[in-house]
């Protein structure tokens, strides 16, 4: 190999790939993705601060405070709103060269790491379940979320729907379990079930048109429940329990509907085959 060949080879290797100039221009949709990431980071900070503060004051004892959980969940719901709108804004205006990557990275923070950390705070300071089991459930949520996002970037379904439970809905369902139930073996099994749904082959409908409006309305209702819960604690936790129950019911109903639909299809195919 001559010096000229070597120089040419090095130039080829060092040559930037893709539209480098455009990659450094953030669009309006990218700003929403970054807002999603910041909301997830702040949610983790709120939960960590609650633990640090109580451990310092309480002499090594920690009981999760509902107000801190509520603040963290409000931040995650705001992040979910940003995540819902960034795709709409990108289609309406323009998307940058790194828009899809920013969206996935933000989702890992807000809907992967943040709910996993919430599971640790929820169940890691109790004698009801072993700490390694809590860590395993939290790790399952994070790993399932990462795999779910990676598969979403690589695999497209024929119907255009989501394969597996979308990570924002998975995160909200994990949070609903945390709000409704005390740490136990069965509640950890439920968390693992949500992680499995995220990496399953069950198809969930993609929010479009009226369905997107319904999803946004659902988020706003949950924010209202949380605001009521935080602002008027004497009103009890009934509103947030209703919202959490509805969230779990919705996520559980879709797989059941898919199973019944496939069963009907098999029966119809058998009837036609006869």
């Amino acid at each position: 190999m001559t010096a000229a060949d070597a120089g040419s080879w090095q130039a080829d290797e060092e040559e930037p790939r893709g539209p480098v100039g455009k990659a450094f221009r953030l669009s309006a949709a990218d700003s929403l993705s970054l807002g999603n990431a910041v909301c997830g980071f702040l949610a983790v900070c709120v939960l960590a601060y609650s633990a640090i503060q109580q451990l310092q004051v309480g002499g090594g004892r920690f009981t999760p405070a509902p107000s801190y959980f509520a603040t963290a969940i409000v931040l995650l719901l705001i992040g979910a709103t940003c995540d819902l709108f960034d795709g709409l804004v990108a289609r309406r205006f323009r998307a940058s060269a790194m828009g899809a990557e920013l969206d996935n990275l933000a989702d890992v923070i807000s809907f992967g790491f943040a709910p996993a950390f919430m599971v640790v705070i929820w169940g890691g300071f109790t004698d009801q379940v072993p700490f390694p089991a809590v860590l395993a459930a939290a790790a399952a949520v994070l790993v399932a979320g990462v795999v779910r996002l990676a598969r979403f970037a690589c695999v497209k379904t024929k119907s255009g729907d989501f394969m597996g439970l979308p990570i924002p809905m998975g995160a909200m369902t994990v949070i609903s379990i945390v709000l409704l139930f005390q740490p136990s073996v069965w509640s950890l099994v439920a968390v693992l079930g949500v992680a499995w749904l995220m990496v399953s082959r069950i198809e969930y409908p993609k929010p479009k048109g009226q369905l997107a409006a319904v999803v946004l309305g659902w988020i706003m209702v949950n924010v209202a429940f949380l605001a009521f819960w935080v602002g008027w604690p004497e009103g009890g936790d009934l509103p947030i329990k209703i919202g959490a129950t509805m969230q779990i019911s919705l996520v559980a109903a879709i797989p059941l509907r898919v199973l019944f639909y496939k069963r009907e299809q098999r029966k119809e195919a058998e009837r036609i085959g006869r």
Side-chain angles (χ1 to χ4, degrees), residues 8-154:
S8 175
W9 175 78
Q10 291 177 354
D12 291 340
E13 286 296 317
E14 295 175 359
E15 183 179 354
R17 299 179 181 179
V20 177
K22 293 183 179 180
F24 288 98
R25 300 175 189 172
L26 293 177
S27 66
D30 295 337
S31 300
L32 289 173
S33 296
L34 293 175
N36 178 18
V38 171
C39 286
F41 169 72
L42 291 177
V44 172
C45 289
V46 166
L47 293 172
Y49 175 76
S50 69
I52 293 171
Q53 185 185 48
Q54 288 197 31
L55 288 173
Q56 288 177 340
V57 175
R61 296 185 61 84
F62 170 67
T63 302
S67 60
Y68 287 106
F69 269 86
T71 303
I73 295 166
V74 167
L75 287 167
L76 293 182
L77 287 171
I78 295 173
T81 305
C82 292
D83 183 60
L84 178 64
F85 274 105
D86 62 3
L88 300 175
V89 171
R91 288 189 292 271
R92 177 65 178 82
F93 298 99
R94 66 180 181 88
S96 71
M98 55 183 179
E101 285 73 16
L102 279 177
D103 186 28
N104 282 344
L105 291 171
D107 286 350
V108 168
I109 297 171
S110 293
F111 309 126
F113 178 70
F117 188 75
M118 186 176 292
V119 170
V120 174
I121 295 295
W122 164 69
F125 297 89
T126 178
D127 297 331
Q128 302 298 320
V129 288
F131 185 67
V134 176
L135 284 182
V141 171
L142 177 61
V143 171
V146 172
V147 172
R148 171 70 182 77
L149 290 170
R151 189 175 66 182
F152 174 74
C154 301

